[in-house]
Every structure is written in structure tokens, then in C-alpha cells.
Amino acid sequence: DKQGTMLQYCKPKPTFLLIKDKMLDDLDKNWIQLKYPQRYARKEQPLWKYEYLKHASCCQKVYDQNTYFSLALRLKDKFDLLRTLQIHQIVPGSSYTFKEIFDAIKTVTQTDPDVKCKKEAPELYEIGICFTPNADSLIPCRQSNTCDKSKEIFFRS
């Protein structure tokens, strides 16, 4: 919300239903569950379930599960973060300052993203962009402060 509250794990906890048909194919192509073997990932859908239970809980009055994932895919295309990094000459296999990554993303979001690093190494782990519960506008993200801003951050391919 606009007060900087993290929109996650709201009550009541939503029910996740296994995704099927075209939505399954769309998510499998565009929101890849890299931690898991593909067969297991498509069958059990652990990442999508986790993300849905964590974030969709806060907008379940507005979006049902299918609409939530459709919106997520549209927003992914609208804010193509990998393309944005590439435009700013931030490419996999090299290291960059926190500011370079942060500023590149901010050119497309016009607000503060949350750049996250792995705990065990100065390596880019995730870039978060934050929305109002209705996803009608971007808001500044609360910073997780997992990156050492004095060191370069490695962007793995």
C-alpha cells in the first residue's frame, strides 16, 4: 500500500488451484520455475503456488486466481526488466554497481525497485517492482537491503 506496507500474506489465506490448459503453457513459457525439474514443476507448480499464496492474498477481493496470473504475465511484458537492463548495457556474466542496476530499472518504473542479492555472495538474485493492490499504479518498494552497495554485484546468466 502507499504507506510502504509489504503486500504479502494477507488474510484470509487464498486457495491455490492447480493451473491447467493455456494458462499452464503461458506460465511455463514466461514464468519458468528454474529450481525444479520441468515435469515436477508443471505437475506440482511450487513457485506459482508460493507466489500466489504470498502476494495474491492481498488482492483476492479484486482478482481471482486466473485473473491474477494473467495480470502478472501482462505486467511482466509491460515492464520487461531483462530488456531494460540490456538497454543500459547491463548484461549477464558481468558485475555492476548497485546504483547502475537500480537506476536502470527506475528508468522504466519511475519509482524505486527493490534490488536483491544472494545472501552468500554479491550476486543479483531478484528485482522487485511494487504495485498498489489493484495493480493500477507503481509505488516505491521497501528496500530489503540484501546487497552491499559498496561492492559490485554479479549478474549471472
Side-chain angles (χ1 to χ4, degrees):
D1 65 21
K2 293 191 191 278
Q3 288 73 44
T5 304
M6 297 293 280
L7 293 173
Q8 55 191 23
Y9 301 116
C10 298
K11 303 283 187 217
K13 182 179 176 181
T15 301
F16 177 81
L17 303 171
L18 288 176
I19 299 162
K20 299 176 180 169
D21 305 323
K22 183 178 180 335
M23 180 60 71
L24 175 61
D25 293 338
D26 289 346
L27 285 171
D28 198 41
K29 178 182 174 194
N30 295 289
W31 196 347
I32 301 166
Q33 303 178 86
L34 293 174
K35 281 186 172 180
Y36 310 97
Q38 187 179 25
R39 183 182 306 235
Y40 172 82
R42 282 182 64 93
K43 183 175 184 233
E44 300 298 326
Q45 305 173 4
L47 172 65
W48 305 328
K49 180 178 182 180
Y50 169 79
E51 294 295 338
Y52 183 74
L53 296 177
K54 181 177 181 181
H55 297 295
S57 61
C58 300
C59 60
Q60 59 188 314
K61 292 177 183 167
V62 181
Y63 302 112
D64 64 19
Q65 181 175 313
N66 198 54
T67 306
Y68 172 82
F69 283 110
S70 293
L71 174 64
L73 290 173
R74 283 196 314 277
L75 291 172
K76 175 205 162 284
D77 290 341
K78 182 176 181 179
F79 299 98
D80 187 342
L81 301 185
L82 287 174
R83 179 77 180 122
T84 298
L85 292 172
Q86 184 180 47
I87 288 168
H88 289 88
Q89 284 80 48
I90 298 172
V91 296
S94 295
S95 295
Y96 304 90
T97 66
F98 177 88
K99 184 172 176 14
E100 287 172 320
I101 296 168
F102 185 92
D103 290 350
I105 298 302
K106 194 167 180 175
T107 63
V108 72
T109 63
Q110 303 301 305
T111 191
D112 294 351
D114 184 16
V115 177
K116 299 178 187 177
C117 293
K118 288 186 172 184
K119 290 178 185 167
E120 61 277 358
E123 182 177 318
L124 184 61
Y125 176 71
E126 181 178 314
I127 297 171
I129 56 176
C130 301
F131 296 87
T132 59
N134 291 341
D136 54 5
S137 62
L138 286 153
I139 56 174
C141 293
R142 181 185 304 164
Q143 299 302 299
S144 59
N145 295 317
T146 58
C147 299
D148 182 342
K149 294 178 181 147
S150 69
K151 295 182 180 175
E152 289 206 333
I153 299 167
F154 184 67
F155 180 21
R156 184 174 301 281
S157 57

